[in-house]
Amino acid sequence: MENHYNTILIVEDDAGLVELISEKVIESGHQCKSFTIASEAINWLTKNIPLLIILDYSLPDLNALEFISTLKTKGIALPPFIVATGRGDERIAVELMKKGSRDYVVKDSNFLEMINVVIDRTIKDICTEINLKQTREELEELSKFNNQIIECAHEGVVVYDKELRYVVWNKFMEEITGYKSEEVIGKYILEIFPFLEEKGIYKNVTDALTVEIQSENEFFFCFEKKQKSAWVSNITTPLRNKQNEVIGVISAVHNITGRKNAENYLLQSKTALHKLVEFSTGLIESSTDNIDFEKITNTIQEISGSSYAFFNLFQPNHIDFRTVGLSGILKFSSISMRFLGFDVMKKKWKQAPYKTERTKNKPITKFESLTDLTKTVIKPQICSLIEKTFNLGDVYIVKISKNNISIGDFTLVYKKGKTILNPEIIEIYANQVGLYIERQRADILMKDSEKKYRVLFADHPQPMLIYDLKTLKILEVNKKIQSHYGYTRKEFLSMDITNLHSTDELDSILDKIERTRKGEKTDGVSKHVKKDGTEIFVETNTIETPSFGENARQVIINDITLRKIAEDNLKTSFSLLNATLESTADGILVVDKNGIATTYNQRFAQMWNIPKEIMNEKLDEQLLRYVLTLMENPEDFINKVSYLYKNPELSSIDLIKLNDGRTFERFSLPQWVDSEIKGRVWSFRDISHRLKADEEIKEKIEEMTRFHKLTVGRELTMIDLKKEINELYRKSGKKEKYKIVE
């Protein structure tokens, strides 16, 4: 089916009127096609689609209603049409308009004046409809694209319409709240989440609609039924259309639970530090990485007034623990060996379940005796002997924890008749010890990590440097950048970041730096200059490096000079390939596995006389439909094409005869890329002249052969004739027919 976007079809039995209408149509800048018989117009419409039909109601073979009915019966698309009716036929015209007629014109004295007006108005309406359809399709495609972005966003996206009903609830919101989009979309803002009024979100949303302001607040929610809770920040902004009109509200929701937890932890840490300063300043003064367990244990014994104190720390599994400090017992190792058979300081203990349960949710827990504490861990007889020997009474467990996670405990043992002193200070002290131990562990890990980082930085295979974003001074460089650029570390540290850039890029680099200071990501490709003056193309990736200061930025450099050269070479190769394709005498067409034309040369389009609009579509199916109309045997052609597409690994060579007398030689090969078939290459060569020459040679040979038979008695003449025949055979590429002996 061929579209005639600029053609108006006139179906009118009055030849004189057709000529007059055609003149008006051509004056308006359109082409004409006319028929005086409805059946001829219908046949034409089976293969063509005009922009508009001017349809006379009364035709020799069919009236307009029958004409439209016939098109529908045959399944032919009905283009936009205008009805031309005689005076008094308005009722029929109205009926036709119900069938889809865009307008009607009465054949009166004003007909020729009105027909131009109606045609222009109708065509404008058609163009508007086409544009609206294209716009609608583009909007649908854009909507799909936007929905993909919204669903993949790493933050919550909520959109309300002007009636404050939910219209967007993305995947992030489903995950953080437990509510699926189908539970929310279309609901009123407070219908499903009434607490939003109390949290101030409802006011923010209404303000965004009415006052058109952006607002932000933070709040906590807990949905017990969904078993979901979180701290979130909610930024509410008016949603505007292209005309800058507010059409709704959009909210960006961020999960800030981690940040809030960190803030709470910081608050707790500050509170503990305040208490430490107030009640136990000077208990721990160690500034080294080594924890003074003995000092900590001695201090707790002094504060608590216990006779004996043990400092126990859990292993990473929170099940096993070791005693790392003890106080109040001289030569305890020898005493423990005598009673227990092992050294307490070298023993790894397992946390007993009953002890865990007894001390649960309690900072300090009292046990009536050592036997009550140890149960089956130490035999009761041995515990009884120790209690009598040392006159022991109450035992207290003081938990050492951080963020409600136990990291150890103090075991305080008292003589009979004695009890714990200063429990409030003990609890504060235990918290301080927990913070101190975790801080020391964290410091050790951080120093170890920093050490590893510096080692990794120094020995990293990529050139790297660290610079100050404020001063632009280079703060540190690794070994690779020194060897790659030719500068020593000392030379680098005396430079600023701009010294590495080519002078012709300096203005753009300074602009990038300003945008980086404003928080923009400005990494990309730039040109650096080595110490020896060699210019290189580099790709940079910049990250913050707080360990070198708040303004420190680490730059990872990737030298892409070779890649840039390769890309330039590839462009040159591609240009040469195109030039080669265009210079060949053959018509070339390359299609991918989906039948889409990926490459073709102009010779191909010229050989087949293919219109530009078809070539621009690059659809193999459309190309096939067109070229089939040019062939003597289209069925054989399409069968061979279908066979090759079903057997992509095969090659083919055959002849194609065209209706205009030309003959093409067709070559077809699979397109291989890295041992995989990516498509098919079609090559067409016009061999019409060659075939004609072969035919002429063949006729000449036959003529000479006949002459040879008539002159068989004349030997000398025969030799000459045979030579001529042999010469003709050689010219046609065949083996000589006669062997001549001189």
Side-chain angles (χ1 to χ4, degrees):
M1 188 70 72
E2 186 173 355
N3 280 308
H4 297 268
Y5 295 115
N6 198 37
T7 299
I8 295 177
L9 173 63
I10 304 171
V11 187
E12 168 64 60
D13 59 349
D14 186 336
L17 189 56
V18 168
E19 185 175 351
L20 292 172
I21 296 173
S22 298
E23 288 178 0
K24 294 291 184 181
V25 168
I26 292 170
E27 285 176 5
S28 67
H30 297 90
Q31 296 178 355
C32 276
K33 185 72 178 177
S34 62
F35 295 97
T36 57
I37 299 174
S39 58
E40 292 179 354
I42 291 170
N43 288 336
W44 187 81
L45 286 170
T46 59
K47 296 181 180 179
N48 302 276
I49 302 175
L51 175 63
L52 180 66
I53 301 175
I54 301 175
L55 177 63
D56 183 22
Y57 179 75
S58 298
L59 296 166
D61 50 347
L62 297 170
N63 64 33
L65 286 170
E66 293 168 338
F67 180 88
I68 294 168
S69 177
T70 303
L71 287 179
K72 290 183 177 179
T73 302
K74 290 179 175 290
I76 301 171
L78 178 62
F81 66 95
I82 298 170
V83 178
T85 177
R87 189 180 290 273
D89 290 336
E90 285 88 345
R91 181 185 58 80
I92 296 172
V94 170
E95 185 178 350
L96 279 166
M97 290 185 74
K98 292 179 180 179
K99 297 289 186 181
S101 175
R102 295 302 182 110
D103 209 335
Y104 73 93
V105 186
V106 178
K107 293 180 181 178
D108 56 14
S109 59
N110 296 322
F111 175 73
L112 291 177
E113 294 179 7
M114 288 300 299
I115 192 68
N116 258 2
V117 175
V118 173
I119 289 173
D120 289 344
R121 183 172 64 238
T122 304
I123 289 175
K124 285 180 181 178
D125 291 344
I126 293 169
C127 292
T128 300
E129 290 171 6
I130 292 171
N131 291 334
L132 284 174
K133 182 181 178 183
Q134 290 176 345
T135 302
R136 192 178 300 112
E137 290 173 352
E138 289 173 0
L139 286 174
E140 288 176 359
E141 190 66 27
L142 181 61
S143 177
K144 290 178 182 178
F145 178 70
N146 288 338
N147 286 339
Q148 288 177 353
I149 294 175
I150 289 171
E151 288 303 313
C152 296
H154 295 294
E155 63 179 26
V157 179
V158 182
V159 178
Y160 310 88
D161 62 17
K162 295 188 76 171
E163 285 71 41
L164 300 186
R165 298 186 181 279
Y166 293 96
V167 292
V168 173
W169 185 266
N170 72 341
K171 189 175 181 181
F172 180 94
M173 294 303 298
E174 290 183 342
E175 292 174 353
I176 196 173
T177 65
Y179 282 87
K180 297 295 183 182
S181 61
E182 53 266 26
E183 298 178 79
V184 178
I185 299 299
K187 301 289 180 63
Y188 181 63
I189 182 173
L190 298 180
E191 178 181 351
I192 192 166
F193 304 122
F195 71 90
L196 293 181
E197 185 169 13
E198 177 189 346
K199 301 294 184 181
I201 302 302
Y202 176 77
K203 182 179 183 303
N204 291 348
V205 173
T206 54
D207 285 349
L209 274 177
T210 55
V211 190
E212 301 183 14
I213 61 172
Q214 176 177 304
S215 55
E216 179 179 2
N217 64 350
E218 299 174 355
F219 63 92
F220 177 79
F221 68 82
C222 179
F223 301 129
E224 294 183 0
K225 290 183 179 179
K226 301 289 185 179
Q227 297 183 343
K228 294 285 187 178
S229 63
W231 271 96
V232 295
S233 71
N234 186 87
I235 302 174
T236 306
T237 307
L239 182 62
R240 302 176 185 274
N241 59 15
K242 286 185 178 180
Q243 290 72 38
N244 203 32
E245 299 168 338
V246 176
I247 59 172
V249 178
I250 183 169
S251 289
V253 181
H254 299 266
N255 187 348
I256 59 170
T257 306
R259 195 195 80 198
K260 280 293 183 180
N261 288 341
E263 289 175 355
N264 290 336
Y265 163 70
L266 182 61
L267 180 62
Q268 292 173 1
S269 298
K270 287 181 178 178
T271 302
L273 182 60
H274 174 73
K275 291 181 180 179
L276 172 64
V277 172
E278 185 175 0
F279 296 103
S280 50
T281 302
L283 291 178
I284 300 174
E285 297 176 347
S286 174
S287 60
T288 66
D289 291 340
N290 298 320
I291 300 173
D292 192 341
F293 297 117
E294 182 178 355
K295 181 176 182 180
I296 293 171
T297 312
N298 289 338
T299 302
I300 191 67
Q301 185 196 8
E302 293 175 6
I303 294 173
S304 65
S306 63
S307 302
Y308 313 103
F310 300 83
F311 184 6
N312 308 308
L313 280 182
F314 284 119
Q315 301 298 299
N317 61 13
H318 294 284
I319 297 174
D320 301 329
F321 67 90
R322 290 183 181 276
T323 301
V324 295
L326 56 91
S327 179
I329 303 177
L330 299 174
K331 300 180 182 179
F332 188 83
S333 295
S334 60
I335 295 173
S336 62
M337 284 291 294
R338 189 179 72 188
F339 284 98
L340 303 174
F342 56 81
D343 188 346
V344 172
M345 296 290 288
K346 297 179 181 179
K347 171 75 172 175
K348 183 170 73 173
W349 305 84
K350 284 193 177 296
Q351 178 77 319
Y354 67 88
K355 178 184 174 185
T356 302
E357 187 62 29
R358 284 273 296 271
T359 59
K360 184 178 180 181
N361 299 325
K362 297 178 183 177
I364 301 176
T365 305
K366 177 183 177 182
F367 291 83
E368 300 299 329
S369 63
L370 188 61
T371 304
D372 184 26
L373 171 65
T374 59
K375 298 284 186 185
T376 57
V377 176
I378 300 175
K379 292 180 180 181
Q381 298 88 337
I382 296 177
C383 280
S384 180
L385 179 60
I386 293 174
E387 288 170 352
K388 289 180 180 178
T389 303
F390 293 98
N391 191 29
L392 302 181
D394 297 337
V395 179
Y396 290 84
I397 299 297
V398 180
K399 288 176 69 173
I400 303 172
S401 58
K402 180 178 178 292
N403 293 339
N404 294 322
I405 298 175
S406 183
I407 61 174
D409 63 51
F410 293 118
T411 301
L412 306 177
V413 184
Y414 290 84
K415 297 279 188 179
K416 283 186 178 181
K418 299 291 184 179
T419 189
I420 190 170
L421 302 176
N422 305 312
E424 295 84 3
I425 297 179
I426 291 173
E427 186 177 339
I428 294 171
Y429 181 76
N431 288 335
Q432 180 198 23
V433 169
L435 290 171
Y436 169 73
I437 290 173
E438 285 301 295
R439 189 182 72 236
Q440 288 295 95
R441 288 175 174 175
D443 286 346
I444 292 170
L445 287 174
M446 186 169 64
K447 289 177 181 177
D448 186 51
S449 297
E450 187 174 325
K451 182 179 179 182
K452 289 178 181 177
Y453 167 77
R454 289 181 180 273
V455 171
L456 287 173
F457 174 81
D459 297 329
H460 198 280
Q462 289 283 102
M464 290 196 295
L465 62 84
I466 297 171
Y467 78 99
D468 189 304
L469 183 59
K470 187 175 181 180
T471 65
L472 304 184
K473 288 293 183 182
I474 296 176
L475 305 176
E476 189 56 271
V477 292
N478 70 346
K479 296 175 183 176
K480 182 63 179 178
I481 197 172
Q482 296 176 52
S483 62
H484 196 70
Y485 282 70
Y487 292 105
T488 65
R489 179 175 179 272
K490 184 177 180 181
E491 288 172 325
F492 267 117
L493 299 187
S494 65
M495 300 163 60
D496 66 47
I497 192 71
T498 60
N499 297 141
L500 295 179
H501 290 275
S502 173
T503 53
D504 58 355
E505 286 189 344
L506 191 56
D507 289 340
S508 63
I509 293 302
L510 292 174
D511 177 64
K512 278 187 177 182
I513 290 171
E514 283 303 315
R515 288 190 284 118
T516 303
R517 287 169 175 166
K518 294 176 181 178
E520 292 184 36
K521 189 73 173 173
T522 58
D523 289 325
V525 176
S526 57
K527 194 159 50 174
H528 281 190
V529 181
K530 295 184 178 182
K531 184 176 181 179
D532 62 5
T534 304
E535 291 187 340
I536 58 174
F537 289 95
V538 298
E539 221 170 30
T540 59
N541 183 36
T542 306
I543 57 174
E544 295 183 3
T545 312
S547 58
F548 281 84
E550 63 175 343
N551 295 314
R553 299 292 186 271
Q554 177 179 316
V555 183
I556 303 173
I557 300 170
N558 182 24
D559 189 338
I560 60 168
T561 306
L562 295 178
R563 190 182 83 190
K564 198 89 167 54
I565 293 171
E567 288 174 351
D568 292 341
N569 290 338
L570 185 61
K571 290 178 182 177
T572 302
S573 299
F574 187 72
S575 176
L576 289 173
L577 175 61
N578 280 341
T580 303
L581 283 174
E582 293 302 332
S583 64
T584 182
D586 294 346
I588 305 295
L589 172 67
V590 183
V591 298
D592 62 18
K593 292 194 292 185
N594 298 317
I596 305 298
T598 57
T599 305
Y600 66 90
N601 65 357
Q602 292 303 315
R603 177 61 179 156
F604 170 76
Q606 292 166 1
M607 288 175 66
W608 290 96
N609 297 318
I610 301 174
K612 285 184 178 180
E613 56 268 22
I614 294 180
M615 290 306 306
N616 290 339
E617 289 293 330
K618 295 187 177 181
L619 295 177
D620 196 25
E621 185 179 348
Q622 288 187 5
L623 290 172
L624 280 174
R625 281 204 303 269
Y626 177 79
V627 300
L628 286 174
T629 63
L630 308 178
M631 300 179 190
E632 286 186 2
N633 298 302
E635 188 175 345
D636 293 344
F637 180 88
I638 196 65
N639 288 340
K640 189 60 176 285
V641 171
S642 300
Y643 178 74
L644 290 175
Y645 279 166
K646 291 177 182 178
N647 300 275
E649 73 283 355
L650 297 183
S651 301
S652 170
I653 179 171
D654 49 12
L655 298 181
I656 302 169
K657 292 188 176 181
L658 274 63
N659 295 329
D660 62 5
R662 291 183 295 162
T663 301
F664 290 171
E665 188 176 50
R666 177 179 66 183
F667 296 87
S668 182
L669 296 168
Q671 183 189 17
W672 294 89
V673 179
D674 295 334
S675 303
E676 182 181 353
I677 294 176
K678 295 293 186 179
R680 179 161 288 276
V681 181
W682 302 91
S683 175
F684 300 90
R685 179 175 297 171
D686 189 343
I687 60 170
S688 306
H689 295 298
R690 192 185 79 191
L691 291 177
K692 185 177 180 181
D694 288 348
E695 189 65 29
E696 290 175 353
I697 291 171
K698 183 179 178 182
E699 290 176 358
K700 188 69 174 177
I701 290 171
E702 291 175 352
E703 181 184 347
M704 296 299 291
T705 302
R706 287 194 302 271
F707 182 75
H708 168 68
K709 290 178 180 179
L710 293 173
T711 58
V712 73
R714 302 176 65 180
E715 186 64 30
L716 184 59
T717 304
M718 287 297 296
I719 291 172
D720 292 338
L721 287 172
K722 288 178 181 180
K723 285 181 179 179
E724 288 186 31
I725 291 170
N726 284 346
E727 180 63 21
L728 290 172
Y729 267 83
R730 282 196 300 274
K731 288 182 178 179
S732 64
K734 298 178 181 178
K735 186 177 179 183
E736 294 180 356
K737 186 173 182 180
Y738 298 102
K739 183 176 181 182
I740 300 173
V741 180
E742 296 290 345

PDB file of all heavy atoms in Angstrom, residues 145-161:
ATOM      1  N   PHE A 145       9.210   6.036  29.263  1.00  0.00           N
ATOM      2  CA  PHE A 145      10.597   6.308  29.643  1.00  0.00           C
ATOM      3  C   PHE A 145      10.677   6.893  31.051  1.00  0.00           C
ATOM      4  O   PHE A 145      11.486   6.465  31.877  1.00  0.00           O
ATOM      5  CB  PHE A 145      11.195   7.275  28.624  1.00  0.00           C
ATOM      6  CG  PHE A 145      12.618   7.683  28.916  1.00  0.00           C
ATOM      7  CD1 PHE A 145      13.653   6.780  28.779  1.00  0.00           C
ATOM      8  CD2 PHE A 145      12.919   8.968  29.349  1.00  0.00           C
ATOM      9  CE1 PHE A 145      14.958   7.151  29.044  1.00  0.00           C
ATOM     10  CE2 PHE A 145      14.218   9.347  29.624  1.00  0.00           C
ATOM     11  CZ  PHE A 145      15.242   8.417  29.462  1.00  0.00           C
ATOM     12  N   ASN A 146       9.786   7.880  31.325  1.00  0.00           N
ATOM     13  CA  ASN A 146       9.775   8.494  32.660  1.00  0.00           C
ATOM     14  C   ASN A 146       9.415   7.490  33.743  1.00  0.00           C
ATOM     15  O   ASN A 146       9.976   7.502  34.840  1.00  0.00           O
ATOM     16  CB  ASN A 146       8.788   9.662  32.684  1.00  0.00           C
ATOM     17  CG  ASN A 146       9.292  10.860  31.912  1.00  0.00           C
ATOM     18  OD1 ASN A 146      10.497  11.000  31.697  1.00  0.00           O
ATOM     19  ND2 ASN A 146       8.402  11.725  31.470  1.00  0.00           N
ATOM     20  N   ASN A 147       8.455   6.599  33.416  1.00  0.00           N
ATOM     21  CA  ASN A 147       8.070   5.574  34.396  1.00  0.00           C
ATOM     22  C   ASN A 147       9.231   4.650  34.716  1.00  0.00           C
ATOM     23  O   ASN A 147       9.416   4.221  35.854  1.00  0.00           O
ATOM     24  CB  ASN A 147       6.879   4.765  33.872  1.00  0.00           C
ATOM     25  CG  ASN A 147       5.583   5.554  33.945  1.00  0.00           C
ATOM     26  OD1 ASN A 147       5.482   6.516  34.717  1.00  0.00           O
ATOM     27  ND2 ASN A 147       4.608   5.182  33.146  1.00  0.00           N
ATOM     28  N   GLN A 148      10.044   4.321  33.676  1.00  0.00           N
ATOM     29  CA  GLN A 148      11.213   3.478  33.918  1.00  0.00           C
ATOM     30  C   GLN A 148      12.193   4.179  34.848  1.00  0.00           C
ATOM     31  O   GLN A 148      12.755   3.564  35.753  1.00  0.00           O
ATOM     32  CB  GLN A 148      11.900   3.148  32.585  1.00  0.00           C
ATOM     33  CG  GLN A 148      11.110   2.171  31.723  1.00  0.00           C
ATOM     34  CD  GLN A 148      11.789   1.926  30.392  1.00  0.00           C
ATOM     35  OE1 GLN A 148      12.773   2.580  30.057  1.00  0.00           O
ATOM     36  NE2 GLN A 148      11.265   0.995  29.624  1.00  0.00           N
ATOM     37  N   ILE A 149      12.386   5.482  34.612  1.00  0.00           N
ATOM     38  CA  ILE A 149      13.300   6.247  35.475  1.00  0.00           C
ATOM     39  C   ILE A 149      12.783   6.270  36.904  1.00  0.00           C
ATOM     40  O   ILE A 149      13.522   6.051  37.868  1.00  0.00           O
ATOM     41  CB  ILE A 149      13.462   7.684  34.933  1.00  0.00           C
ATOM     42  CG1 ILE A 149      14.183   7.648  33.573  1.00  0.00           C
ATOM     43  CG2 ILE A 149      14.221   8.554  35.923  1.00  0.00           C
ATOM     44  CD1 ILE A 149      14.275   8.999  32.907  1.00  0.00           C
ATOM     45  N   ILE A 150      11.464   6.530  37.051  1.00  0.00           N
ATOM     46  CA  ILE A 150      10.862   6.615  38.388  1.00  0.00           C
ATOM     47  C   ILE A 150      10.986   5.291  39.118  1.00  0.00           C
ATOM     48  O   ILE A 150      11.335   5.243  40.298  1.00  0.00           O
ATOM     49  CB  ILE A 150       9.377   7.046  38.276  1.00  0.00           C
ATOM     50  CG1 ILE A 150       9.292   8.519  37.847  1.00  0.00           C
ATOM     51  CG2 ILE A 150       8.647   6.849  39.598  1.00  0.00           C
ATOM     52  CD1 ILE A 150       7.894   8.973  37.501  1.00  0.00           C
ATOM     53  N   GLU A 151      10.738   4.176  38.392  1.00  0.00           N
ATOM     54  CA  GLU A 151      10.774   2.872  39.039  1.00  0.00           C
ATOM     55  C   GLU A 151      12.195   2.478  39.426  1.00  0.00           C
ATOM     56  O   GLU A 151      12.395   1.719  40.365  1.00  0.00           O
ATOM     57  CB  GLU A 151      10.167   1.800  38.119  1.00  0.00           C
ATOM     58  CG  GLU A 151       8.654   1.901  37.981  1.00  0.00           C
ATOM     59  CD  GLU A 151       7.949   1.837  39.329  1.00  0.00           C
ATOM     60  OE1 GLU A 151       8.285   0.954  40.134  1.00  0.00           O
ATOM     61  OE2 GLU A 151       7.099   2.695  39.606  1.00  0.00           O
ATOM     62  N   CYS A 152      13.190   2.974  38.678  1.00  0.00           N
ATOM     63  CA  CYS A 152      14.580   2.622  38.968  1.00  0.00           C
ATOM     64  C   CYS A 152      15.242   3.611  39.932  1.00  0.00           C
ATOM     65  O   CYS A 152      16.399   3.435  40.289  1.00  0.00           O
ATOM     66  CB  CYS A 152      15.390   2.567  37.667  1.00  0.00           C
ATOM     67  SG  CYS A 152      14.836   1.265  36.542  1.00  0.00           S
ATOM     68  N   ALA A 153      14.529   4.648  40.328  1.00  0.00           N
ATOM     69  CA  ALA A 153      15.122   5.677  41.195  1.00  0.00           C
ATOM     70  C   ALA A 153      15.461   5.087  42.568  1.00  0.00           C
ATOM     71  O   ALA A 153      14.745   4.236  43.086  1.00  0.00           O
ATOM     72  CB  ALA A 153      14.152   6.849  41.355  1.00  0.00           C
ATOM     73  N   HIS A 154      16.575   5.553  43.130  1.00  0.00           N
ATOM     74  CA  HIS A 154      17.007   5.108  44.454  1.00  0.00           C
ATOM     75  C   HIS A 154      16.441   6.029  45.533  1.00  0.00           C
ATOM     76  O   HIS A 154      17.081   6.243  46.571  1.00  0.00           O
ATOM     77  CB  HIS A 154      18.534   5.053  44.523  1.00  0.00           C
ATOM     78  CG  HIS A 154      19.133   4.041  43.610  1.00  0.00           C
ATOM     79  ND1 HIS A 154      18.959   2.685  43.764  1.00  0.00           N
ATOM     80  CD2 HIS A 154      19.875   4.180  42.498  1.00  0.00           C
ATOM     81  CE1 HIS A 154      19.585   2.041  42.820  1.00  0.00           C
ATOM     82  NE2 HIS A 154      20.150   2.934  42.019  1.00  0.00           N
ATOM     83  N   GLU A 155      15.301   6.588  45.274  1.00  0.00           N
ATOM     84  CA  GLU A 155      14.609   7.403  46.259  1.00  0.00           C
ATOM     85  C   GLU A 155      13.115   7.284  45.989  1.00  0.00           C
ATOM     86  O   GLU A 155      12.690   6.828  44.920  1.00  0.00           O
ATOM     87  CB  GLU A 155      15.048   8.863  46.175  1.00  0.00           C
ATOM     88  CG  GLU A 155      14.714   9.527  44.862  1.00  0.00           C
ATOM     89  CD  GLU A 155      15.142  10.988  44.821  1.00  0.00           C
ATOM     90  OE1 GLU A 155      16.085  11.371  45.542  1.00  0.00           O
ATOM     91  OE2 GLU A 155      14.519  11.754  44.071  1.00  0.00           O
ATOM     92  N   GLY A 156      12.320   7.654  46.959  1.00  0.00           N
ATOM     93  CA  GLY A 156      10.877   7.574  46.793  1.00  0.00           C
ATOM     94  C   GLY A 156      10.368   8.717  45.936  1.00  0.00           C
ATOM     95  O   GLY A 156      10.791   9.856  46.094  1.00  0.00           O
ATOM     96  N   VAL A 157       9.481   8.382  45.001  1.00  0.00           N
ATOM     97  CA  VAL A 157       8.837   9.394  44.168  1.00  0.00           C
ATOM     98  C   VAL A 157       7.333   9.246  44.349  1.00  0.00           C
ATOM     99  O   VAL A 157       6.759   8.191  44.061  1.00  0.00           O
ATOM    100  CB  VAL A 157       9.210   9.243  42.686  1.00  0.00           C
ATOM    101  CG1 VAL A 157       8.485  10.299  41.856  1.00  0.00           C
ATOM    102  CG2 VAL A 157      10.716   9.372  42.503  1.00  0.00           C
ATOM    103  N   VAL A 158       6.687  10.298  44.864  1.00  0.00           N
ATOM    104  CA  VAL A 158       5.236  10.301  45.088  1.00  0.00           C
ATOM    105  C   VAL A 158       4.669  11.525  44.373  1.00  0.00           C
ATOM    106  O   VAL A 158       5.181  12.630  44.523  1.00  0.00           O
ATOM    107  CB  VAL A 158       4.898  10.371  46.589  1.00  0.00           C
ATOM    108  CG1 VAL A 158       3.383  10.325  46.791  1.00  0.00           C
ATOM    109  CG2 VAL A 158       5.566   9.229  47.350  1.00  0.00           C
ATOM    110  N   VAL A 159       3.615  11.307  43.586  1.00  0.00           N
ATOM    111  CA  VAL A 159       2.973  12.414  42.876  1.00  0.00           C
ATOM    112  C   VAL A 159       1.487  12.435  43.236  1.00  0.00           C
ATOM    113  O   VAL A 159       0.825  11.387  43.233  1.00  0.00           O
ATOM    114  CB  VAL A 159       3.139  12.268  41.347  1.00  0.00           C
ATOM    115  CG1 VAL A 159       2.425  13.409  40.627  1.00  0.00           C
ATOM    116  CG2 VAL A 159       4.616  12.265  40.974  1.00  0.00           C
ATOM    117  N   TYR A 160       0.993  13.635  43.583  1.00  0.00           N
ATOM    118  CA  TYR A 160      -0.422  13.848  43.876  1.00  0.00           C
ATOM    119  C   TYR A 160      -1.026  14.712  42.764  1.00  0.00           C
ATOM    120  O   TYR A 160      -0.352  15.604  42.234  1.00  0.00           O
ATOM    121  CB  TYR A 160      -0.603  14.598  45.206  1.00  0.00           C
ATOM    122  CG  TYR A 160       0.158  14.030  46.373  1.00  0.00           C
ATOM    123  CD1 TYR A 160       1.468  14.437  46.639  1.00  0.00           C
ATOM    124  CD2 TYR A 160      -0.429  13.102  47.229  1.00  0.00           C
ATOM    125  CE1 TYR A 160       2.173  13.933  47.719  1.00  0.00           C
ATOM    126  CE2 TYR A 160       0.266  12.600  48.323  1.00  0.00           C
ATOM    127  CZ  TYR A 160       1.557  13.017  48.566  1.00  0.00           C
ATOM    128  OH  TYR A 160       2.239  12.525  49.644  1.00  0.00           O
ATOM    129  N   ASP A 161      -2.296  14.452  42.424  1.00  0.00           N
ATOM    130  CA  ASP A 161      -2.971  15.345  41.494  1.00  0.00           C
ATOM    131  C   ASP A 161      -3.561  16.536  42.265  1.00  0.00           C
ATOM    132  O   ASP A 161      -3.355  16.665  43.479  1.00  0.00           O
ATOM    133  CB  ASP A 161      -4.039  14.597  40.691  1.00  0.00           C
ATOM    134  CG  ASP A 161      -5.151  14.018  41.574  1.00  0.00           C
ATOM    135  OD1 ASP A 161      -5.280  14.445  42.746  1.00  0.00           O
ATOM    136  OD2 ASP A 161      -5.882  13.129  41.100  1.00  0.00           O
TER     137      ASP A 161
END
